[in-house]
Amino acid sequence: MDTDCRADAIHTAGVRPLLVGRPGLTDHRSRMTRALLLTNQPPVDGQPGYEAGLRTLVENTELEGCDIVPAISGASETTADRCTRIARAIDASRADVVLCLSLKNLVPVTVEVAQSLADRRVLYWEGDAWGGRKRLPPATSDWLRISSIVYTVAGPPQTQLLLAHGAHEVRQTLHTYDQTLFGAYGGGHQDVVSVVLAGNNLSRLPGVSGLPGSFARRRLVTGLHRRFGAEFRLAGRGWPRALAASYVPYPQIGSFIGTGRIMAAWEHFPTFSAYASDRLAVCMITGRVQVTSKPTPPWWVPPGLGVYAMQSWQDVLAKVEELAARPPAQVRESGRAAHEWARGRISHLEALRQMLNPVAPEIQPPPTDPWGQLPGPWLNS
């Protein structure tokens, strides 16, 4: 049995776009399933946690094998060349299931791409929240229409948006942590400041620019800076120079979070059901307490794990002040509880198990806590 996970990159030239219908779903249960991961990162960055998770499933004989195809190959590659390269890589694969990671407009569903996907189950992971000024990319709608299942990190009203754009079945998933990048963390490193916040500022013209939640995030950051001064560290783009925000590459975000005893946050689209950005999972596995915005229920984080979801940015600020006044050892203990719960529950491996199990029952499902508590599925009538 071939149990490899390999990376394919084939360069050729151009095609024209076409809207296609849902592909046929061939029954492949006479043998084990093989998966292909279409990533939204270049080969140099990759998706190390997803790739490692697929290899784990292969090593556990839950998958026959896997192929890795990056959507981005190089700066000089045209969209047409990209589509041809990807279509030929999929054609060369024996994969039954193609899992696509939040492709946006990177890969239009061209004739070549659609033909390469025929008789394969397509699963699409949508890792962004959409709405208002942030419109769903046109190419994403095409992927929704040809996918067997669409997984979204944001619940209603986003689920209805995806169905309206052609999705056949939508299921809630979670933003998980990359176990390759962040799995070694666990609260053993020493914090150096009281509070950190990681996030971009899109509310550069308050009331005019930004997304839902942007203005509240800006107000929260201003309040934290005023209250904690040098005991507050900020990472992200678009902040006023006086706030001394730093740019932190994503692989180092766990280290940045670990420099603080408490992480504060305010999400964009804060009222979307069960929604949290990937910083929540990274913060938990890093072993830090977090105070964040409260999404519309259901909320999947159990109480007592050092994750405090609040109704307003003022409530977040007040809770951070309360936690900062507690004995540091007490706060760190809550962070360790978050780490212990998150480990083996909300990594990319568990996300793969959730997404692949419905089409490959030989793959063990993830723990019911929290995965079994997520709402859905939602079907297009």
Side-chain angles (χ1 to χ4, degrees):
M1 179 174 62
D2 183 4
T3 59
D4 66 303
C5 280
R6 57 193 174 86
D8 293 296
I10 305 171
H11 295 266
T12 49
V15 289
R16 63 184 180 85
L18 175 73
L19 286 180
V20 298
R22 191 181 186 187
L25 302 181
T26 302
D27 189 352
H28 298 286
R29 294 184 185 180
S30 59
R31 62 177 176 80
M32 289 184 64
T33 301
R34 186 180 184 94
L36 182 145
L37 180 69
L38 181 54
T39 78
N40 56 12
Q41 298 292 326
V44 66
D45 296 326
Q47 298 277 359
Y50 280 112
E51 295 175 21
L54 286 170
R55 292 187 180 96
T56 296
L57 296 178
V58 172
E59 291 165 2
N60 291 349
T61 64
E62 297 174 78
L63 277 179
E64 179 194 84
C66 61
D67 304 308
I68 313 296
V69 180
I72 304 172
S73 180
S76 62
E77 185 178 51
T78 67
T79 300
D81 289 346
R82 181 183 304 128
C83 290
T84 299
R85 170 180 60 82
I86 288 170
R88 292 189 176 182
I90 295 172
D91 273 333
S93 169
R94 293 186 291 106
D96 317 301
V97 177
V98 177
L99 174 59
C100 309
L101 299 181
S102 210
L103 298 174
K104 300 183 175 67
N105 280 327
L106 284 172
V107 187
V109 181
T110 62
V111 171
E112 277 186 307
V113 171
Q115 289 175 344
S116 71
L117 294 168
D119 295 325
R120 307 179 199 259
R121 287 177 165 89
V122 178
L123 308 177
Y124 192 88
W125 176 83
E126 182 47 65
D128 275 307
W130 299 93
R133 296 184 180 95
K134 187 179 178 184
R135 297 181 180 276
L136 200 70
T140 297
S141 298
D142 298 346
W143 281 102
L144 300 181
R145 281 190 278 270
I146 66 169
S147 296
S148 302
I149 305 174
V150 175
Y151 289 91
T152 172
V153 297
Q158 175 140 312
T159 52
Q160 286 74 23
L161 174 71
L162 300 176
L163 291 170
H165 279 260
H168 301 275
E169 179 178 340
V170 178
R171 299 193 183 197
Q172 176 97 40
T173 190
L174 302 176
H175 261 309
T176 48
Y177 69 85
D178 188 306
Q179 71 276 16
T180 301
L181 294 177
F182 308 118
Y185 292 115
H189 45 290
Q190 185 64 39
D191 50 84
V192 295
V193 296
S194 296
V195 188
V196 297
L197 186 147
N200 297 329
N201 174 37
L202 302 183
S203 183
R204 303 184 189 188
L205 295 173
V208 177
S209 63
L211 297 172
S214 293
F215 183 61
R217 179 184 291 180
R218 182 179 177 128
R219 295 292 298 274
L220 173 62
V221 166
T222 302
L224 291 168
H225 178 72
R226 183 181 299 116
R227 168 64 179 80
F228 290 97
E231 283 292 301
F232 171 59
R233 284 187 178 179
L234 176 65
R237 300 181 185 272
W239 294 105
R241 186 173 299 178
L243 296 175
S246 60
Y247 169 70
V248 178
Y250 187 72
Q252 279 79 59
I253 198 68
S255 297
F256 171 78
I257 292 172
T259 65
R261 191 159 65 253
I262 304 160
M263 180 175 170
W266 192 266
E267 300 285 9
H268 289 142
F269 303 96
T271 61
F272 279 23
S273 176
Y275 173 63
S277 71
D278 54 357
R279 290 181 293 277
L280 173 64
V282 174
C283 184
M284 294 186 79
I285 198 62
T286 303
R288 290 298 182 264
V289 165
Q290 180 170 175
V291 189
T292 186
S293 47
K294 185 175 185 177
T296 299
W299 184 225
W300 48 270
V301 180
L305 294 179
V307 177
Y308 302 92
M310 316 303 289
Q311 291 285 4
S312 70
W313 70 266
Q314 295 97 328
D315 293 340
V316 171
L317 180 58
K319 189 65 179 181
V320 170
E321 291 176 331
E322 177 197 326
L323 291 169
R326 293 182 185 180
Q330 183 185 94
V331 178
R332 294 186 188 113
E333 185 59 35
S334 293
R336 280 190 284 271
H339 168 80
E340 290 301 323
W341 182 86
R343 186 175 56 184
R345 289 182 189 272
I346 54 171
S347 78
H348 286 355
L349 174 59
E350 286 74 51
L352 285 169
R353 290 189 179 280
Q354 184 216 18
M355 291 187 283
L356 292 173
N357 170 263
V359 297
E362 61 269 30
I363 295 176
Q364 292 297 311
T368 55
D369 178 18
W371 299 93
Q373 303 171 32
L374 299 178
W378 299 267
L379 304 176
N380 215 333
S381 56

